[in-house]
Amino acid sequence: MPAAGALPGWLTVGQSLEAVDPYASGRPLVWHAATLLEARRGPREGADDGLRLWVRYRQSKLGQWLRRRHVREQGTVGASGDSDALSPSPATASGKKPAARKRLKAEPKGTRLAVERLSAKAAEPGSEVWLLLGGAPGAKGGVGACSAFEVTFGHLSSPATLIAPMLLSCLVPHSAPTDVGPCLLAVSAMRGEGRAAIACPYTFEVLAPRRS
C-alpha cells in the first residue's frame, strides 16, 4: 500500500495518540496510549476509506495495524475517526437483533491445536519460519482434519505448509514492515467448510534486511 496523503496533524508519523484493539475481548473497549509509526492508504471499499495505521502500544510495546476509527487524538473523548467507530449499529440502536457474526470454530477441550514453539521470533522478510504444533494429531479437531494453513504477521498473511505431522513452515511476507517492533502472530486452518483458529501465544518481529 502507498503512503497515506494529507492527514490531520495528530496523525503525523511519530505522534502520540490513543488506540483501541478491536480484537480485544470484553466490553467496553479500552483506549491505550500509543505512537503512530506508519500510515498507508489502500483501496476504498464502501465505508472503508482504505487508511491503515501501524501503531505501537506504549505499555505492551506490541504493534498493530488499525483503521482510522480505532484511533483518536490524545486526550479526546470518543472516537476521532469514523463517527460509528465504537457505537452500536443502526439495527442495534433501533432494538432489532443484529446479524450474527461469523465465529471461528472452537475445538473440543483436550483436542485443541496450539503453537508450542517457533524456530525464530524475529527474522527478515522472506525468511522461513517453522511453527511446532501441540495437540492431538488424530483426534477430532486435530491437525489431520485441517488443510490450507495460514500464518498472519500483523495484517499480512502467508500460506503455511505442513512439512511434518505437527510442524508448519511459512515465509515471512516480503512486504512486511520492518523495525516497527513485535506484531501479533495468528495461525488458522481450513476445517470442513470453515476456518478455525489455532492458538498462538507468540508475537513476531520483522527485521530490516542486512546490508551486504
Side-chain angles (χ1 to χ4, degrees), residues 88-99:
S89 65
T92 303
S94 64
K96 296 181 180 179
K97 186 177 181 180

Side-chain angles (χ1 to χ4, degrees), residues 8-169:
W10 64 273
L11 282 179
T12 303
V13 172
Q15 288 291 327
S16 297
L17 44 73
E18 294 177 0
V20 63
D21 180 0
Y23 305 106
S25 58
R27 291 292 189 274
L29 297 177
V30 179
W31 293 91
H32 304 278
T35 302
L36 178 61
L37 300 180
E38 192 171 354
R40 296 281 177 177
R41 179 81 70 176
R44 296 175 179 268
E45 295 184 6
D48 181 7
D49 64 359
L51 182 64
R52 296 295 183 268
L53 306 167
W54 180 259
V55 305
R56 179 186 293 171
Y57 296 100
R58 290 186 186 176
Q59 185 172 0
S60 67
K61 306 301 182 184
L62 297 179
Q64 186 177 31
W65 284 101
L66 298 174
R67 298 184 181 187
R68 182 164 180 164
R69 63 175 176 266
H70 300 135
V71 300
R72 69 184 185 188
E73 189 172 1
Q74 193 172 33
T76 59
V77 178
S80 58
D82 300 338
S83 59
D84 64 344
L86 299 174
S87 60
S89 65
T92 303
S94 64
K96 296 181 180 179
K97 186 177 181 180
R101 294 184 179 180
K102 293 183 178 179
R103 295 179 178 273
L104 295 177
K105 294 183 178 180
E107 296 81 4
K109 187 176 182 181
T111 66
R112 178 166 184 163
L113 290 172
V115 177
E116 292 190 343
R117 188 179 302 174
L118 301 177
S119 61
K121 295 182 181 179
E124 301 174 7
S127 301
E128 183 180 21
V129 178
W130 290 0
L131 301 88
L132 179 64
L133 303 179
K140 182 180 179 181
V143 71
C146 297
S147 63
F149 293 90
E150 186 177 81
V151 180
T152 303
F153 297 78
H155 78 297
L156 295 175
S157 297
S158 176
T161 304
L162 197 64
I163 60 175
M166 296 294 280
L167 188 64
L168 289 174
S169 172

